[in-house]
Amino acid sequence: MADDEEIIDSEEEAEEEEATDLSNSDVCTKYQEASKIVNLTLEGLVSQCVPGAKVVDLCQFGTTVMEAAAKKLYTKKVNGVLLDRGVAFPVCISVNDVVCNHSPLSSEEVEPLKVGDVVKMDLGCHLDGYIAVAAHTVVVKDGDSPPEPSEPLSNVAVAAYNAMLVAAHSIAAGKSNVDVTKAVERVATHYGVNPISSVRMHQMKRFVLDGVKEIALKEPTPEELEEGEEKLPTCKFEQGEVYAVDVAMSTGDGKARPGELRTTVFKRNVETNYKLKMKSSRYVLSEVDKKFPTLPFTLRHFTDEKQAKMGITECVSHGLVTPYPSLHQHAGEVAHFKCTVLLLPSGTSRVTGLPLPEYFKTEKQPDDATKDVLKELAEIAERKAKKKAAKRKKKNKN
């Protein structure tokens, strides 16, 4: 009897494990739908990046779009509870020398956008814990006239975008993170720019944004290793996994550092506990545990912003939350792009991310290996477009 019970338990565990894998069509659908919401939000943000727009308003706009779109899906309750869905990574709008993670509070607004500003937008959405993320870079235009970015900015934007495409293509079952890092470094070297060394790509799992498997944009030099920079362990990619392909590059030294902007984005360290002394700190931790137990959040989402600002410090000092500081690259131009890829049985599928803005142009041609990848991706896109057009034509006939 005991043996039978063990068999039943093991079968139940197997079923539970299978339920969170891409082999489960429902899971795959949730990733696809979350990806559509991410792309919709990015498109909306691009249209809102105009002279005079406030960064905090853009963040709130993106949040509203994501939450409203997510609420329209999976509206039936399961066991009396609605499926968890919404923001997986707070909308961040980082301007000019700010690389990432800038999501200001309403009470601490920075100057509005102006013509020529370089805007990096970064966000994530989830449905039932299945996460899709993306980042995009644009230049604020003057009315209907297209932006005219400088040659260095255009060059680094093309390099970062192509590196993202090449990296996404390289993340395939059987390959390793070393293969991807080499591909990104090759693209950066060819265009004469530097990857932002602190930015990494991560495996994503259900309710887990930063998984165990990581990919560096560049291998640390001996000097950087002496300074304490970590060399990532080698890992292999497997079918059924999901990755955030995150690429930021600079015409400067590639060493982004925290600046003067307040850190507002944090994530709960679920394995750490501590009896907090301050009332405001206990308020923050209570709210985090109720509303943001696993995924990153911004202090702007708290009802009492003053209490949140006071209480978060003690939470950080005792390791209860991990900060995501706004990183700056003070020398040179910066571009940031990110997409989500699913390792399906049919191959690697890139499900988030917008096309590179047409005004980013450079005289430099891709290296041969990158050119081959871009050609292959263009052919795949063309086949998909023809297939979609044929389906639409057939549907119209019926």
Side-chain angles (χ1 to χ4, degrees):
M1 186 69 179
D3 290 342
D4 290 342
E5 288 177 356
E6 287 178 10
I7 291 170
I8 291 168
D9 288 343
S10 63
E11 286 176 348
E12 287 176 351
E13 287 173 8
E15 287 175 5
E16 188 176 334
E17 186 178 343
E18 184 183 0
T20 63
D21 190 83
L22 283 175
S23 60
N24 183 323
S25 61
D26 187 41
V27 169
C28 198
T29 299
K30 287 170 182 173
Y31 275 118
Q32 297 280 3
E33 292 300 323
S35 298
K36 290 177 185 176
I37 294 171
V38 164
N39 290 335
L40 174 72
T41 307
L42 277 184
E43 289 168 355
L45 284 169
V46 169
S47 71
Q48 297 294 312
C49 285
V50 296
K54 293 182 178 180
V55 172
V56 68
D57 289 345
L58 291 172
C59 292
Q60 290 170 340
F61 168 82
T63 301
T64 300
V65 171
M66 270 197 289
E67 290 180 340
K71 281 180 181 177
K72 292 177 181 178
L73 303 174
Y74 298 96
T75 55
K76 290 184 179 179
K77 292 183 178 181
V78 179
N79 297 325
V81 180
L82 278 172
L83 178 142
D84 193 5
R85 60 209 191 280
V87 176
F89 187 81
V91 178
C92 293
I93 303 293
S94 305
V95 183
N96 297 332
D97 63 290
V98 186
V99 180
C100 57
N101 299 339
H102 184 224
S103 193
L105 302 177
S106 302
S107 59
E108 298 178 349
E109 174 56 28
V110 294
E111 66 173 297
L113 298 184
K114 58 185 184 298
V115 174
D117 278 346
V118 184
V119 181
K120 283 82 65 184
M121 51 196 76
D122 189 1
L123 55 96
C125 176
H126 80 94
L127 294 172
D128 197 22
Y130 299 104
I131 304 165
V133 294
H136 195 64
T137 299
V138 297
V139 178
V140 178
K141 63 180 183 178
D142 185 5
D144 294 328
S145 303
E148 297 181 1
S150 66
E151 173 59 26
L153 173 58
S154 287
N155 187 61
V156 75
V158 171
Y161 192 83
N162 283 351
M164 180 193 73
L165 294 180
V166 169
H169 183 269
S170 301
I171 298 176
K175 291 189 177 182
S176 76
N177 55 350
V178 175
D179 300 323
V180 181
T181 301
K182 286 180 179 177
V184 171
E185 287 186 306
R186 185 191 72 235
V187 175
T189 300
H190 179 78
Y191 285 96
V193 297
N194 287 304
I196 302 291
S197 57
S198 54
V199 174
R200 289 177 177 172
M201 308 181 202
H202 291 88
Q203 180 187 7
M204 297 190 293
K205 294 185 176 183
R206 191 182 185 204
F207 288 111
V208 178
L209 189 71
D210 302 328
V212 175
K213 293 184 181 181
E214 293 183 274
I215 307 163
L217 298 191
K218 64 184 286 292
E219 285 292 333
T221 63
E223 293 78 14
E224 288 169 338
L225 289 171
E226 283 184 15
E227 292 170 4
E229 190 164 329
E230 179 189 5
K231 180 178 173 62
L232 295 180
T234 302
C235 63
K236 293 276 187 182
F237 309 127
E238 299 175 35
Q239 185 179 303
E241 293 179 335
V242 180
Y243 285 86
V245 183
D246 197 354
V247 177
M249 290 190 175
S250 166
T251 58
D253 62 7
K255 296 184 184 296
R257 302 166 179 87
E260 296 178 357
L261 293 172
R262 179 190 291 275
T263 298
T264 63
V265 179
F266 302 86
K267 186 182 72 172
R268 177 75 164 99
N269 289 331
V270 292
E271 71 281 357
T272 305
N273 290 292
Y274 180 82
K275 193 172 182 179
L276 295 164
K277 296 176 176 60
M278 292 174 57
K279 183 180 178 182
S280 58
S281 305
R282 293 195 296 273
Y283 157 74
V284 169
L285 188 62
S286 174
E287 288 291 291
V288 170
D289 286 342
K290 279 189 292 186
K291 298 178 181 178
F292 319 105
T294 56
L295 295 171
F297 60 91
T298 170
L299 297 184
R300 197 177 55 255
H301 292 159
F302 285 76
T303 306
D304 192 332
E305 187 181 291
K306 185 178 179 182
Q307 285 273 79
K309 287 194 291 185
M310 288 173 58
I312 198 67
T313 304
E314 190 182 5
C315 293
V316 172
S317 64
H318 292 290
L320 295 170
V321 296
T322 298
Y324 286 68
S326 297
L327 297 177
H328 297 247
Q329 169 73 81
H330 292 290
E333 305 283 2
V334 177
H336 183 202
F337 295 96
K338 185 194 299 183
C339 67
T340 302
V341 295
L342 312 179
L343 275 60
L344 300 169
S346 57
T348 300
S349 176
R350 179 166 50 91
V351 290
T352 65
L354 302 183
L356 178 71
E358 293 182 357
Y359 48 77
F360 286 133
K361 298 175 182 177
T362 179
E363 294 179 359
K364 291 185 180 179
Q365 294 297 311
D367 62 272
D368 289 342
T370 301
K371 197 178 292 183
D372 289 343
V373 171
L374 297 179
K375 183 182 177 183
E376 183 183 339
L377 293 174
E379 289 172 351
I380 292 170
E382 187 178 352
R383 286 198 297 270
K384 284 183 178 178
K386 286 181 179 178
K387 194 174 180 181
K388 192 178 287 186
K391 277 186 179 179
R392 196 181 298 117
K393 189 176 180 181
K394 187 177 179 181
K395 188 177 179 182
N396 291 338
K397 278 185 178 181
N398 296 335

